[in-house]
Amino acid sequence: MRIDVVTLFPGMVRDACGWGIPRIAQEKGLLELGLWNPRDYAQDRNRRVDDRPYGGGPGMVMQVQPVHDAIQAARARGGGPVIYLSPQGRRFDQSAARHFAQLPHMILLAGRYEGIDERLIERDVDEEWSIGDYVLSGGEPAALVWIDAVTRLLPGALGDGASAQQDSFMDGLLDYPHYSRPEVVDGKAVPDVLLGGNHADIERWRMKQSLGRTWKRRPDLLERLRLSDAQQALLEEYIREQQTTDSDQGP
Ligand code: ADE
């Protein structure tokens, strides 16, 4: 996969992709990263890429020409959809990550300042995506989130081939709790079932924890799912156990 990023801070994206899975993916040749700085395409003597907004108001707006030329350069090398990262976009989630992980190329456009001139967006942007309902001071952290979420799904990027399959959200549920050595920490022991070596019991326990956590923490996710009869039974078991624990502990 090739991802081109149009950004005023190419160093920020390059450096952050030099760690963890994005680094390994690049080393293995699974991910090729291209960086394009609109400032390199500015025609202005001072290499300006922004100007004041028409109509007044605070902040500056990124101008059409340097951003357009940087996108054109990225298109010539890679291609794929031009994706503008902004809080106005569609919400990025795991199923979007899965979708984009299938594409051979994409161009991420990270904005700065108050935003980008709307005419650039109308002409050059294919899709607008947001990583959440909050405002970042630039699209770069969003591009990094995107790159990480997408590249870890590329076959071969994770050491253990199965681990992306078992992640949170792969089946629309939150992840179950994980434990490693030592067996007891501050008097808290690892759940017995995980020590027993019965794989069917372990799978059942993990599914129950995933269902239970999702029910407790993100009931909105659960509403979107159709649970199997077995999952429904496990969730009911979890809720019953929860109620007994609550009444044991008193008010
Ligand atoms: N740029 C600024 N805020 C953003 C957000 N929430 N998602 C994507 N890009 C952004």
Side-chain angles (χ1 to χ4, degrees), residues 84-88 111 129-140 142-143:
Y84 175 39
L85 296 159
S86 98
Q88 283 69 246
W129 286 83
S130 164
I131 62 158
D133 291 337
Y134 39 80
V135 181
L136 302 166
S137 50
E140 287 79 7

Side-chain angles (χ1 to χ4, degrees), residues 23-66:
R23 181 199 183 109
I24 292 169
Q26 287 177 87
E27 286 169 355
K28 288 184 174 171
L30 301 170
L31 170 67
E32 192 184 345
L33 200 59
L35 296 159
W36 307 91
N37 189 343
R39 209 173 289 288
D40 295 336
Y41 298 88
Q43 288 167 357
D44 176 83
R45 197 153 41 92
N46 302 314
R47 300 178 74 210
R48 270 186 76 160
V49 292
D50 61 325
D51 209 334
R52 289 186 311 252
Y54 278 116
M60 302 293 266
V61 176
M62 285 174 79
Q63 294 170 287
V64 173
Q65 177 271 319

